Amino acid sequence: MSLPELQQLKEQSSDKLPNFRPRAGGYNLRKWYKYQQNLNYLKEHEVVLAKILFSALNDLEEEERAFLASKYCVPYKVKNGISVRPTDKELAEEQGMSLSKYKAKRHRLERKMSYFIAEYELKYKDEYEQSLWFKHGNGKRGGK
Amino acid sequence: MHTRTEEFGAGVLVTVGFRQEKEVVLFVDCLANIQRGIEVKEKKLRYFNDYLQSLTPGQREYLFKRYRRGLKMPAREDVETALNEEINEIEDAIQFMYGFNPEPREYDATGNAKANFQEMLMVLGVK
């Protein structure tokens, strides 16, 4: 994953993805392990969210997926009653990279993920709305 | 029925009313949904209370202290796993009763990570 590749993605999707959010990648990745472990017990709307995440992950290359999995797809450790992931410092030492390079790589991959997620959110939008148990009104305000 | 007055452009005032045909249908749908939800949860509570009655007093007291009063206690694994299984069973029964999700997913998380990912896509129906 390099910088020009990201710029290319950005140019391609500037018009098509109105729902693009730069932090959506990291936000969804944080739920990876939870979804994987409890796949049999997910509720209907969570299944759609899992579909969005995993189909976005499927678009990545295998090497990149393994890189993200070492950060996000691991069981939590509990420190002082708070569940924590492995830190960037530990993982950078494992991979033999410097801390700043590791961080930059991770942030670029998460950014790339959020483009894919924006795509799949549009694709699964209707399915998500149908899966909700309760919806308030028709989403419009006013009686006009 | 007049609810409010709105302004369009320069000096054009329009009175806007309550649209019964639109609003009432939505409202009744909402009420029916909520009623159904209440029914389901009452049923769940009944089954769960039945299960609690079948436990020994010690186990019941342990659960009450840990989850109702929020006391910090050492976990008793046998009670916890039995409780989890019972809860899953109740959820399944309710789902079959109301036809929410007749096909339970079957996926085993333990094993090779790479093969697991492909299997997960199959289970979700992405691929």
Side-chain angles (χ1 to χ4, degrees):
Chain A
M1 187 65 208
S2 56
L3 203 57
E5 235 179 288
L6 256 188
Q7 280 169 351
Q8 207 180 351
L9 265 178
K10 194 177 178 183
E11 283 164 17
Q12 283 173 4
S13 60
S14 57
D15 307 327
K16 285 187 290 180
L17 302 174
N19 59 339
F20 172 72
R21 305 180 308 287
R23 300 295 174 94
Y27 172 74
N28 278 279
L29 278 169
R30 259 160 240 153
K31 296 185 278 187
W32 185 356
Y33 185 69
K34 187 173 78 178
Y35 284 157
Q36 187 183 323
Q37 291 300 310
N38 304 313
L39 201 66
N40 298 341
Y41 311 109
L42 295 184
K43 290 179 182 174
E44 275 179 54
H45 69 280
E46 286 172 332
V47 170
V48 184
L49 294 176
K51 269 185 195 175
I52 291 171
L53 171 61
F54 290 128
S55 45
L57 276 171
N58 194 27
D59 283 359
L60 291 179
E61 289 164 25
E62 247 182 50
E63 192 189 336
E64 298 170 336
R65 208 186 302 137
F67 180 85
L68 287 174
S70 65
K71 173 82 180 174
Y72 289 107
C73 193
V74 287
Y76 304 119
K77 289 173 196 167
V78 177
K79 259 183 196 171
N80 301 328
I82 301 168
S83 55
V84 289
R85 300 172 193 293
T87 57
D88 283 350
K89 209 175 176 181
E90 292 167 6
L91 288 171
E93 278 177 14
E94 264 185 30
Q95 310 235 352
M97 301 164 78
S98 73
L99 180 60
S100 59
K101 275 197 173 176
Y102 179 88
K103 272 188 179 176
K105 190 179 176 187
R106 185 165 68 79
H107 287 156
R108 272 180 206 163
L109 280 178
E110 284 175 15
R111 186 102 178 177
K112 192 181 174 186
M113 276 287 292
S114 45
Y115 283 104
F116 294 148
I117 280 168
E119 267 178 37
Y120 284 111
E121 272 179 357
L122 282 183
K123 189 182 167 190
Y124 287 111
K125 196 181 172 191
D126 295 338
E127 201 177 326
Y128 180 68
E129 279 176 6
Q130 282 173 12
S131 67
L132 292 178
W133 171 70
F134 176 74
K135 216 174 6 171
H136 202 277
N138 57 358
K140 290 173 190 168
R141 292 201 153 245
K144 275 184 281 185
Chain B
M1 204 198 308
H2 173 235
T3 55
R4 64 194 180 279
T5 321
E6 286 189 358
E7 189 181 354
F8 293 96
V12 183
L13 290 176
V14 179
T15 60
V16 185
F18 179 77
R19 292 287 184 91
Q20 290 180 12
E21 308 87 34
K22 239 184 192 178
E23 304 287 333
V24 170
V25 171
L26 287 173
F27 181 63
V28 173
D29 275 356
C30 278
L31 281 186
N33 260 338
I34 292 169
Q35 200 65 40
R36 190 176 145 114
I38 290 170
E39 263 178 37
V40 171
K41 295 209 164 167
E42 274 175 352
K43 222 167 214 179
K44 278 184 196 174
L45 181 65
R46 208 198 79 198
Y47 290 136
F48 189 68
N49 279 337
D50 285 354
Y51 170 69
L52 285 183
Q53 288 302 317
S54 73
L55 293 177
T56 61
Q59 290 170 337
R60 213 179 306 138
E61 195 187 346
Y62 160 78
L63 289 175
F64 185 82
K65 274 184 183 169
R66 191 173 160 90
Y67 293 110
R68 259 307 178 57
R69 295 178 59 192
L71 299 181
K72 280 186 181 176
M73 304 177 69
R76 286 170 60 175
E77 279 195 10
D78 52 335
V79 184
E80 299 275 331
T81 48
L83 182 73
N84 254 329
E85 277 171 16
E86 180 65 26
I87 288 172
N88 287 335
E89 221 166 84
I90 291 175
E91 292 283 345
D92 278 355
I94 293 286
Q95 282 179 358
F96 275 108
M97 238 176 256
Y98 286 82
F100 285 146
N101 189 8
E103 291 175 5
R105 289 177 292 279
E106 283 178 15
Y107 166 75
D108 186 17
T110 58
N112 184 15
K114 207 181 272 181
N116 271 347
F117 189 76
Q118 295 303 326
E119 199 191 325
M120 210 152 43
L121 294 178
M122 295 287 286
V123 171
L124 285 172
V126 173
K127 223 173 178 185

